Amino acid sequence: MENIYSKNIDYYERNAKKYENTSWYFFNKYKDRTLLKELKQCLKYIKKDHLTILEIGPGTGYIISKLLKIKGISFNYTCIEHSSEMRSILFNRYKNKVKNFEIYIDSVSADYIATRFTGRKFDFIIGSSILHHLPDYNNVIKELS
């Protein structure tokens, strides 16, 4: 799978430090408010105070930054990020803000999920703007479910 992802990995390795200055996520206030509202709505259905969360492709931590703003929840956070540069930014920014914080550095595929996460359960699985990066996204979603 690595050769399928190599261009994407190379791009994020080169652009990690300027990613937040060029991504609409970080400066579109409407999208920002909408995402926070959607996260709150999803969490309302889970009805737990402490969650186990898996995020695929967290980048520099946009979604975890929103989760940390939601009052009344705590969570263990696991993520899979295939750019070591993005991972470094994410880890340094949030390592002391979440009790259990795990980052796997790898590319996501159905086989990877089956191998790495068999037997693990998550209350909430997040992946924002990732499907177009996954050649086997149907199988990834099946494996996650």
Side-chain angles (χ1 to χ4, degrees):
M1 272 299 175
E2 189 61 35
N3 58 357
I4 293 171
Y5 296 106
S6 62
K7 287 183 182 180
N8 188 270
I9 294 168
D10 290 344
Y11 173 82
Y12 287 108
E13 292 296 299
R14 287 189 323 271
N15 294 292
K17 289 182 175 77
K18 58 184 176 182
Y19 173 74
E20 293 175 11
N21 294 326
T22 60
S23 177
W24 63 267
Y25 288 125
F26 298 94
F27 51 84
N28 184 319
K29 296 301 177 195
Y30 171 77
K31 292 283 188 182
D32 197 54
R33 285 189 305 272
T34 301
L35 175 63
L36 186 58
K37 181 179 174 183
E38 289 171 353
L39 287 170
K40 287 178 180 179
Q41 189 171 9
C42 289
L43 295 175
K44 187 169 75 174
Y45 290 108
I46 296 172
K47 297 180 183 175
K48 283 181 146 183
D49 293 335
H50 186 80
L51 305 164
T52 56
I53 295 174
L54 172 64
E55 183 174 4
I56 298 170
T60 59
Y62 179 69
I63 291 180
I64 192 174
S65 74
K66 301 301 163 228
L67 290 167
L68 288 166
K69 290 181 178 184
I70 299 173
K71 296 192 184 332
I73 67 159
S74 63
F75 53 89
N76 296 344
Y77 179 81
T78 301
C79 64
I80 308 164
E81 172 57 55
H82 67 192
S83 164
S84 60
E85 290 294 320
M86 299 288 260
R87 177 245 178 243
S88 180
I89 293 168
L90 175 72
F91 181 75
N92 290 326
R93 191 175 284 165
Y94 296 104
K95 65 184 174 191
N96 296 321
K97 295 181 181 178
V98 178
K99 187 176 180 182
N100 293 311
F101 186 71
E102 268 183 297
I103 301 176
Y104 292 90
I105 301 176
D106 215 326
S107 298
V108 173
S109 67
D111 289 340
Y112 180 81
I113 298 295
T115 302
R116 182 65 68 164
F117 295 103
T118 295
R120 289 189 66 179
K121 296 200 182 279
F122 296 93
D123 299 310
F124 195 37
I125 299 173
I126 308 165
S128 177
S129 298
I130 60 160
L131 292 181
H132 62 287
H133 293 293
L134 304 174
D136 64 340
Y137 68 87
N138 283 329
N139 291 330
V140 168
I141 292 169
K142 285 178 189 173
E143 197 60 48
L144 288 169
S145 65

